[in-house]
Amino acid sequence: QSALTQPRSVSGSPGQSVTISCTGTTSDVGGYNYVSWYQQHPDKAPKLVIYDVTKRPSGVPDRFSGSKSGNTASLTISGLQAEDEADYHCCSYAGSYTVLFGGGTKLTVL
Amino acid sequence: QVQLQESGPGLVKPSQTLSLICTVSGGSINSGGYYWSWIRQHPGKGLEWIGYIFYSGNTYYNPSLKSRVTISIDTSKNQFSLMLNSVTAADTAVYYCAREPVFVGASDYWGPGTLVTVSS
């Protein structure tokens, strides 16, 4: 099992939209609708922002949305705000009760 | 409100066993419906899933760590534990415990994390 592939960094200006990709294989991202995304501010625990590819937990702004096409999942943040600057990690079920994470993406709000 | 808290030594010597406990409050670990997970993060790196345990005691591990990992549960104390043996410097990381609802495929509550350094 190899980690899911994410870009090391992305950036955007306040008010803009950014999309972070997460690429896996048919054995993980492409094979199950159990993709989740976590936001992590420095020295803090990860916070769930998207689960089951497209669902938002209670309290997460609707500026956060998720999607999937084939073996690639995506997190889109629209109307960027300064507080969105953080690391974002994707995660997928990988079969046989195992879980894979991506390498993380640093989002910079310019 | 469910809360999780990791505890254990912050420094472990090479070749020894890393042992951590996660104490769950605000909900019963024995209620079913959840996997109780351990996840780690090497300094400046991404997250790595270590494994999880169901309240019944069924365990599931990352294949790359399986030979060195044991996760156990103590429902009487509302705690679950991680043991990682034969540690090296490569096991230095922040270790998180988390709760994952069954059939959701995501961890909704996390502990704050605890840094474990492997060094002589």
PDB file of all heavy atoms in Angstrom, chain A residues 1-29:
ATOM      1  N   GLN A   1       0.834  -1.195   0.000  1.00  0.00           N
ATOM      2  CA  GLN A   1       0.000   0.000   0.000  1.00  0.00           C
ATOM      3  C   GLN A   1       0.869   1.245   0.000  1.00  0.00           C
ATOM      4  O   GLN A   1       1.715   1.429   0.871  1.00  0.00           O
ATOM      5  CB  GLN A   1      -0.867   0.033   1.259  1.00  0.00           C
ATOM      6  CG  GLN A   1      -1.981  -0.983   1.288  1.00  0.00           C
ATOM      7  CD  GLN A   1      -2.835  -0.832   2.544  1.00  0.00           C
ATOM      8  OE1 GLN A   1      -2.351  -0.438   3.591  1.00  0.00           O
ATOM      9  NE2 GLN A   1      -4.106  -1.166   2.427  1.00  0.00           N
ATOM     10  N   SER A   2       0.644   2.141  -0.968  1.00  0.00           N
ATOM     11  CA  SER A   2       1.364   3.404  -1.000  1.00  0.00           C
ATOM     12  C   SER A   2       0.433   4.521  -0.594  1.00  0.00           C
ATOM     13  O   SER A   2      -0.778   4.441  -0.788  1.00  0.00           O
ATOM     14  CB  SER A   2       1.890   3.680  -2.402  1.00  0.00           C
ATOM     15  OG  SER A   2       2.787   2.679  -2.813  1.00  0.00           O
ATOM     16  N   ALA A   3       0.998   5.573  -0.028  1.00  0.00           N
ATOM     17  CA  ALA A   3       0.194   6.712   0.385  1.00  0.00           C
ATOM     18  C   ALA A   3      -0.505   7.320  -0.828  1.00  0.00           C
ATOM     19  O   ALA A   3       0.001   7.264  -1.960  1.00  0.00           O
ATOM     20  CB  ALA A   3       1.069   7.757   1.066  1.00  0.00           C
ATOM     21  N   LEU A   4      -1.659   7.921  -0.579  1.00  0.00           N
ATOM     22  CA  LEU A   4      -2.364   8.634  -1.636  1.00  0.00           C
ATOM     23  C   LEU A   4      -1.545   9.870  -2.026  1.00  0.00           C
ATOM     24  O   LEU A   4      -0.809  10.420  -1.201  1.00  0.00           O
ATOM     25  CB  LEU A   4      -3.749   9.039  -1.132  1.00  0.00           C
ATOM     26  CG  LEU A   4      -4.602   7.887  -0.581  1.00  0.00           C
ATOM     27  CD1 LEU A   4      -5.900   8.423   0.006  1.00  0.00           C
ATOM     28  CD2 LEU A   4      -4.870   6.842  -1.655  1.00  0.00           C
ATOM     29  N   THR A   5      -1.671  10.295  -3.285  1.00  0.00           N
ATOM     30  CA  THR A   5      -0.849  11.396  -3.796  1.00  0.00           C
ATOM     31  C   THR A   5      -1.601  12.721  -3.753  1.00  0.00           C
ATOM     32  O   THR A   5      -2.670  12.855  -4.365  1.00  0.00           O
ATOM     33  CB  THR A   5      -0.403  11.100  -5.233  1.00  0.00           C
ATOM     34  OG1 THR A   5       0.350   9.877  -5.253  1.00  0.00           O
ATOM     35  CG2 THR A   5       0.467  12.237  -5.762  1.00  0.00           C
ATOM     36  N   GLN A   6      -1.034  13.671  -3.039  1.00  0.00           N
ATOM     37  CA  GLN A   6      -1.567  15.029  -2.981  1.00  0.00           C
ATOM     38  C   GLN A   6      -0.483  16.014  -3.401  1.00  0.00           C
ATOM     39  O   GLN A   6       0.703  15.748  -3.184  1.00  0.00           O
ATOM     40  CB  GLN A   6      -1.995  15.391  -1.542  1.00  0.00           C
ATOM     41  CG  GLN A   6      -3.094  14.577  -0.945  1.00  0.00           C
ATOM     42  CD  GLN A   6      -3.419  15.053   0.461  1.00  0.00           C
ATOM     43  OE1 GLN A   6      -3.393  14.287   1.417  1.00  0.00           O
ATOM     44  NE2 GLN A   6      -3.765  16.340   0.594  1.00  0.00           N
ATOM     45  N   PRO A   7      -0.869  17.183  -3.942  1.00  0.00           N
ATOM     46  CA  PRO A   7       0.138  18.213  -4.207  1.00  0.00           C
ATOM     47  C   PRO A   7       0.710  18.709  -2.890  1.00  0.00           C
ATOM     48  O   PRO A   7       0.018  18.740  -1.875  1.00  0.00           O
ATOM     49  CB  PRO A   7      -0.662  19.308  -4.933  1.00  0.00           C
ATOM     50  CG  PRO A   7      -2.077  19.091  -4.522  1.00  0.00           C
ATOM     51  CD  PRO A   7      -2.235  17.623  -4.312  1.00  0.00           C
ATOM     52  N   ARG A   8       1.988  19.068  -2.902  1.00  0.00           N
ATOM     53  CA  ARG A   8       2.617  19.517  -1.661  1.00  0.00           C
ATOM     54  C   ARG A   8       2.005  20.819  -1.163  1.00  0.00           C
ATOM     55  O   ARG A   8       1.867  21.032   0.048  1.00  0.00           O
ATOM     56  CB  ARG A   8       4.119  19.718  -1.870  1.00  0.00           C
ATOM     57  CG  ARG A   8       4.880  18.446  -2.122  1.00  0.00           C
ATOM     58  CD  ARG A   8       4.968  17.592  -0.875  1.00  0.00           C
ATOM     59  NE  ARG A   8       5.713  18.228   0.190  1.00  0.00           N
ATOM     60  CZ  ARG A   8       7.018  18.095   0.363  1.00  0.00           C
ATOM     61  NH1 ARG A   8       7.737  17.384  -0.474  1.00  0.00           N
ATOM     62  NH2 ARG A   8       7.618  18.694   1.386  1.00  0.00           N
ATOM     63  N   SER A   9       1.646  21.699  -2.124  1.00  0.00           N
ATOM     64  CA  SER A   9       1.105  22.988  -1.724  1.00  0.00           C
ATOM     65  C   SER A   9       0.173  23.545  -2.785  1.00  0.00           C
ATOM     66  O   SER A   9       0.300  23.210  -3.972  1.00  0.00           O
ATOM     67  CB  SER A   9       2.243  23.975  -1.463  1.00  0.00           C
ATOM     68  OG  SER A   9       2.965  24.215  -2.649  1.00  0.00           O
ATOM     69  N   VAL A  10      -0.769  24.358  -2.337  1.00  0.00           N
ATOM     70  CA  VAL A  10      -1.645  25.128  -3.222  1.00  0.00           C
ATOM     71  C   VAL A  10      -1.828  26.491  -2.574  1.00  0.00           C
ATOM     72  O   VAL A  10      -1.593  26.659  -1.373  1.00  0.00           O
ATOM     73  CB  VAL A  10      -3.030  24.466  -3.439  1.00  0.00           C
ATOM     74  CG1 VAL A  10      -2.892  23.116  -4.122  1.00  0.00           C
ATOM     75  CG2 VAL A  10      -3.789  24.332  -2.133  1.00  0.00           C
ATOM     76  N   SER A  11      -2.249  27.458  -3.363  1.00  0.00           N
ATOM     77  CA  SER A  11      -2.481  28.788  -2.805  1.00  0.00           C
ATOM     78  C   SER A  11      -3.617  29.479  -3.535  1.00  0.00           C
ATOM     79  O   SER A  11      -3.964  29.125  -4.669  1.00  0.00           O
ATOM     80  CB  SER A  11      -1.199  29.626  -2.876  1.00  0.00           C
ATOM     81  OG  SER A  11      -0.815  29.820  -4.226  1.00  0.00           O
ATOM     82  N   GLY A  12      -4.189  30.464  -2.870  1.00  0.00           N
ATOM     83  CA  GLY A  12      -5.250  31.253  -3.468  1.00  0.00           C
ATOM     84  C   GLY A  12      -5.458  32.525  -2.678  1.00  0.00           C
ATOM     85  O   GLY A  12      -5.045  32.617  -1.507  1.00  0.00           O
ATOM     86  N   SER A  13      -6.086  33.482  -3.302  1.00  0.00           N
ATOM     87  CA  SER A  13      -6.364  34.761  -2.650  1.00  0.00           C
ATOM     88  C   SER A  13      -7.713  34.710  -1.961  1.00  0.00           C
ATOM     89  O   SER A  13      -8.573  33.891  -2.329  1.00  0.00           O
ATOM     90  CB  SER A  13      -6.347  35.901  -3.683  1.00  0.00           C
ATOM     91  OG  SER A  13      -5.091  35.985  -4.300  1.00  0.00           O
ATOM     92  N   PRO A  14      -7.915  35.550  -0.970  1.00  0.00           N
ATOM     93  CA  PRO A  14      -9.219  35.591  -0.291  1.00  0.00           C
ATOM     94  C   PRO A  14     -10.359  35.778  -1.287  1.00  0.00           C
ATOM     95  O   PRO A  14     -10.258  36.598  -2.211  1.00  0.00           O
ATOM     96  CB  PRO A  14      -9.085  36.788   0.645  1.00  0.00           C
ATOM     97  CG  PRO A  14      -7.628  36.863   0.932  1.00  0.00           C
ATOM     98  CD  PRO A  14      -6.951  36.468  -0.350  1.00  0.00           C
ATOM     99  N   GLY A  15     -11.410  34.983  -1.103  1.00  0.00           N
ATOM    100  CA  GLY A  15     -12.568  35.067  -1.985  1.00  0.00           C
ATOM    101  C   GLY A  15     -12.507  34.110  -3.160  1.00  0.00           C
ATOM    102  O   GLY A  15     -13.534  33.793  -3.768  1.00  0.00           O
ATOM    103  N   GLN A  16     -11.302  33.650  -3.508  1.00  0.00           N
ATOM    104  CA  GLN A  16     -11.154  32.715  -4.626  1.00  0.00           C
ATOM    105  C   GLN A  16     -11.494  31.290  -4.203  1.00  0.00           C
ATOM    106  O   GLN A  16     -11.759  31.013  -3.034  1.00  0.00           O
ATOM    107  CB  GLN A  16      -9.713  32.770  -5.164  1.00  0.00           C
ATOM    108  CG  GLN A  16      -9.361  34.036  -5.907  1.00  0.00           C
ATOM    109  CD  GLN A  16      -7.974  33.941  -6.545  1.00  0.00           C
ATOM    110  OE1 GLN A  16      -7.087  33.235  -6.056  1.00  0.00           O
ATOM    111  NE2 GLN A  16      -7.782  34.682  -7.637  1.00  0.00           N
ATOM    112  N   SER A  17     -11.457  30.391  -5.171  1.00  0.00           N
ATOM    113  CA  SER A  17     -11.656  28.962  -4.917  1.00  0.00           C
ATOM    114  C   SER A  17     -10.367  28.218  -5.189  1.00  0.00           C
ATOM    115  O   SER A  17      -9.610  28.587  -6.097  1.00  0.00           O
ATOM    116  CB  SER A  17     -12.755  28.400  -5.818  1.00  0.00           C
ATOM    117  OG  SER A  17     -14.009  28.951  -5.517  1.00  0.00           O
ATOM    118  N   VAL A  18     -10.125  27.188  -4.404  1.00  0.00           N
ATOM    119  CA  VAL A  18      -8.983  26.312  -4.654  1.00  0.00           C
ATOM    120  C   VAL A  18      -9.468  24.871  -4.600  1.00  0.00           C
ATOM    121  O   VAL A  18     -10.440  24.553  -3.892  1.00  0.00           O
ATOM    122  CB  VAL A  18      -7.840  26.512  -3.633  1.00  0.00           C
ATOM    123  CG1 VAL A  18      -7.221  27.868  -3.768  1.00  0.00           C
ATOM    124  CG2 VAL A  18      -8.314  26.244  -2.222  1.00  0.00           C
ATOM    125  N   THR A  19      -8.788  24.031  -5.344  1.00  0.00           N
ATOM    126  CA  THR A  19      -9.109  22.605  -5.348  1.00  0.00           C
ATOM    127  C   THR A  19      -7.849  21.811  -5.062  1.00  0.00           C
ATOM    128  O   THR A  19      -6.792  22.072  -5.650  1.00  0.00           O
ATOM    129  CB  THR A  19      -9.694  22.167  -6.699  1.00  0.00           C
ATOM    130  OG1 THR A  19     -10.938  22.849  -6.911  1.00  0.00           O
ATOM    131  CG2 THR A  19      -9.945  20.670  -6.726  1.00  0.00           C
ATOM    132  N   ILE A  20      -7.965  20.861  -4.145  1.00  0.00           N
ATOM    133  CA  ILE A  20      -6.852  19.990  -3.785  1.00  0.00           C
ATOM    134  C   ILE A  20      -7.199  18.577  -4.254  1.00  0.00           C
ATOM    135  O   ILE A  20      -8.275  18.057  -3.950  1.00  0.00           O
ATOM    136  CB  ILE A  20      -6.619  19.996  -2.264  1.00  0.00           C
ATOM    137  CG1 ILE A  20      -6.307  21.418  -1.784  1.00  0.00           C
ATOM    138  CG2 ILE A  20      -5.484  19.047  -1.898  1.00  0.00           C
ATOM    139  CD1 ILE A  20      -6.266  21.553  -0.265  1.00  0.00           C
ATOM    140  N   SER A  21      -6.287  17.966  -4.976  1.00  0.00           N
ATOM    141  CA  SER A  21      -6.535  16.629  -5.502  1.00  0.00           C
ATOM    142  C   SER A  21      -5.906  15.554  -4.619  1.00  0.00           C
ATOM    143  O   SER A  21      -4.970  15.822  -3.853  1.00  0.00           O
ATOM    144  CB  SER A  21      -5.983  16.510  -6.925  1.00  0.00           C
ATOM    145  OG  SER A  21      -4.585  16.699  -6.923  1.00  0.00           O
ATOM    146  N   CYS A  22      -6.429  14.362  -4.766  1.00  0.00           N
ATOM    147  CA  CYS A  22      -5.957  13.208  -3.984  1.00  0.00           C
ATOM    148  C   CYS A  22      -6.088  11.988  -4.901  1.00  0.00           C
ATOM    149  O   CYS A  22      -7.202  11.538  -5.182  1.00  0.00           O
ATOM    150  CB  CYS A  22      -6.808  13.059  -2.746  1.00  0.00           C
ATOM    151  SG  CYS A  22      -6.539  11.556  -1.781  1.00  0.00           S
ATOM    152  N   THR A  23      -4.962  11.478  -5.357  1.00  0.00           N
ATOM    153  CA  THR A  23      -4.991  10.395  -6.333  1.00  0.00           C
ATOM    154  C   THR A  23      -4.566   9.073  -5.715  1.00  0.00           C
ATOM    155  O   THR A  23      -3.527   8.996  -5.050  1.00  0.00           O
ATOM    156  CB  THR A  23      -4.076  10.726  -7.521  1.00  0.00           C
ATOM    157  OG1 THR A  23      -4.516  11.944  -8.131  1.00  0.00           O
ATOM    158  CG2 THR A  23      -4.111   9.607  -8.552  1.00  0.00           C
ATOM    159  N   GLY A  24      -5.375   8.069  -5.951  1.00  0.00           N
ATOM    160  CA  GLY A  24      -5.078   6.730  -5.456  1.00  0.00           C
ATOM    161  C   GLY A  24      -5.193   5.720  -6.579  1.00  0.00           C
ATOM    162  O   GLY A  24      -4.777   5.991  -7.711  1.00  0.00           O
ATOM    163  N   THR A  25      -5.759   4.574  -6.254  1.00  0.00           N
ATOM    164  CA  THR A  25      -5.903   3.492  -7.224  1.00  0.00           C
ATOM    165  C   THR A  25      -7.315   2.906  -7.140  1.00  0.00           C
ATOM    166  O   THR A  25      -8.133   3.336  -6.321  1.00  0.00           O
ATOM    167  CB  THR A  25      -4.889   2.368  -6.929  1.00  0.00           C
ATOM    168  OG1 THR A  25      -5.269   1.728  -5.702  1.00  0.00           O
ATOM    169  CG2 THR A  25      -3.466   2.900  -6.800  1.00  0.00           C
ATOM    170  N   THR A  26      -7.560   1.898  -7.941  1.00  0.00           N
ATOM    171  CA  THR A  26      -8.849   1.222  -7.898  1.00  0.00           C
ATOM    172  C   THR A  26      -9.026   0.438  -6.600  1.00  0.00           C
ATOM    173  O   THR A  26     -10.140   0.038  -6.266  1.00  0.00           O
ATOM    174  CB  THR A  26      -9.000   0.260  -9.082  1.00  0.00           C
ATOM    175  OG1 THR A  26      -7.882  -0.629  -9.121  1.00  0.00           O
ATOM    176  CG2 THR A  26      -9.066   1.022 -10.405  1.00  0.00           C
ATOM    177  N   SER A  27      -7.917   0.246  -5.876  1.00  0.00           N
ATOM    178  CA  SER A  27      -7.975  -0.503  -4.616  1.00  0.00           C
ATOM    179  C   SER A  27      -8.332   0.374  -3.426  1.00  0.00           C
ATOM    180  O   SER A  27      -8.565  -0.137  -2.328  1.00  0.00           O
ATOM    181  CB  SER A  27      -6.628  -1.185  -4.345  1.00  0.00           C
ATOM    182  OG  SER A  27      -6.351  -2.135  -5.346  1.00  0.00           O
ATOM    183  N   ASP A  28      -8.338   1.672  -3.632  1.00  0.00           N
ATOM    184  CA  ASP A  28      -8.678   2.562  -2.516  1.00  0.00           C
ATOM    185  C   ASP A  28      -9.668   3.637  -2.973  1.00  0.00           C
ATOM    186  O   ASP A  28     -10.870   3.402  -2.949  1.00  0.00           O
ATOM    187  CB  ASP A  28      -7.425   3.162  -1.871  1.00  0.00           C
ATOM    188  CG  ASP A  28      -6.322   3.495  -2.882  1.00  0.00           C
ATOM    189  OD1 ASP A  28      -6.536   4.456  -3.653  1.00  0.00           O
ATOM    190  OD2 ASP A  28      -5.289   2.812  -2.898  1.00  0.00           O
ATOM    191  N   VAL A  29      -9.166   4.799  -3.401  1.00  0.00           N
ATOM    192  CA  VAL A  29     -10.066   5.901  -3.780  1.00  0.00           C
ATOM    193  C   VAL A  29     -11.097   5.471  -4.817  1.00  0.00           C
ATOM    194  O   VAL A  29     -12.290   5.759  -4.690  1.00  0.00           O
ATOM    195  CB  VAL A  29      -9.256   7.106  -4.305  1.00  0.00           C
ATOM    196  CG1 VAL A  29     -10.193   8.189  -4.831  1.00  0.00           C
ATOM    197  CG2 VAL A  29      -8.359   7.669  -3.200  1.00  0.00           C
TER     198      VAL A  29
END
